[in-house]
Amino acid sequence: MLRGMLLAMLLAAPAAAEEVDLELVLLADATGSIDDAEIRLQREGYAAALLDPEVLWAIRNGGALGRVAVTYVEWASAASQDVVVDWTVLAGEADARAFGAALVAAPRRAFGSNAIGAALLRGLALIEGNGFEGGRRVIDLSADSAWNGSGPSIAAARDVVLGADVVINGLAILCRGNCSGRPRAGNLEAEFAGQLIGGPGAFVVTAEDGPSFARAVRRKLILEIADAAPEDGVAGVERP
């Protein structure tokens, strides 16, 4: 009977979390302002950036373990958030290549208007339930607007995420088509810095147009994976 009780306890015990240097949720904009060509541009930008030699170097050398856990999620309305590529451990080029191939091949399943607060909370839920234990935990949200049309407010969601010791970084996409890279009104970088990002070393990186998107993603991933300080030209702030 005692052996049976011990066996039952062992079977009921949760599996030990897999240790990684970083748990990273990539929240990519898939709202109504993003057409299918732009979805493809974003995915191909991430797939290419993950194979960049400096990104691969950061994965191998940015922490004690040389391993990061990453998931890619496209967000739109509060009811439309799609995990495009589930949690994957990246430890080298083969892992990054497989992640990128899965990312580019997956169909689009997220549509609707902006619900940034809901997207942040979805990212937190994915971190809390992923079975990994990271030395750092980061949610990275890309968007071409700071408007939050439905669901929880950005401020409320941000407070919950930061309260769980998760850093929020931002990728501000200023334009994708035939434009100068700077919107006529507003300042998306400042809005992200003031309303969205938070946690130690949080920062905003800017993609000024379609061709610069992959370069912005590469730069952002290096900073996040290597836990580096923001450079000149990156709107970095540290918030409590």
Side-chain angles (χ1 to χ4, degrees):
M1 181 180 296
L2 181 58
R3 283 200 301 270
M5 291 173 62
L6 290 172
L7 179 60
M9 291 171 62
L10 288 172
L11 291 175
E18 184 176 352
E19 293 188 354
V20 293
D21 295 311
L22 170 68
E23 301 168 58
L24 177 61
V25 179
L26 301 172
L27 290 175
D29 192 342
T31 56
S33 62
I34 312 299
D35 63 23
D36 288 346
E38 292 162 349
I39 289 287
R40 184 168 61 253
L41 180 148
Q42 291 183 143
R43 293 183 181 188
E44 290 175 351
Y46 274 97
L50 285 170
L51 288 173
D52 182 89
E54 290 189 50
V55 174
L56 293 172
W57 187 94
I59 291 172
R60 292 189 295 265
N61 300 281
L65 302 173
R67 297 157 50 83
V68 302
V70 182
T71 184
Y72 188 99
V73 182
E74 286 176 343
W75 64 272
S77 72
S80 185
Q81 301 164 356
D82 180 45
V83 177
V84 181
V85 183
D86 207 350
W87 286 104
T88 303
V89 174
L90 305 182
E93 181 177 347
D95 302 324
R97 191 174 299 280
F99 187 96
L103 177 59
V104 172
R108 176 178 183 168
R109 288 188 289 257
F111 302 88
S113 61
N114 289 36
I116 293 175
L120 292 175
L121 295 180
R122 179 67 187 281
L124 177 60
L126 289 168
I127 286 177
E128 298 287 12
N130 65 9
F132 293 101
E133 184 66 35
R136 295 179 293 115
R137 310 195 300 174
V138 175
I139 291 174
D140 181 317
L141 184 135
S142 67
D144 61 3
S145 167
W147 178 64
N148 190 70
S150 62
S153 70
I154 296 174
R158 177 181 172 277
D159 286 347
V160 173
V161 172
L162 298 184
D165 295 324
V166 176
V167 172
I168 303 170
N169 293 328
L171 172 58
I173 304 172
L174 301 190
C175 75
R176 296 177 175 81
N178 184 21
C179 53
S180 67
R182 294 286 165 180
R184 294 180 181 177
N187 185 327
L188 186 57
E189 296 146 299
E191 291 174 357
F192 271 26
Q195 303 173 31
L196 175 68
I197 68 173
F203 61 84
V204 180
V205 166
T206 300
E208 296 203 353
D209 52 29
S212 72
F213 183 84
R215 295 194 299 273
V217 167
R218 170 187 169 276
R219 184 182 189 187
K220 175 180 64 65
L221 288 174
I222 291 170
L223 289 171
E224 287 169 334
I225 294 169
D227 195 20
E231 305 168 359
D232 291 343
V234 178
V237 301
E238 184 169 334
R239 304 170 90 78

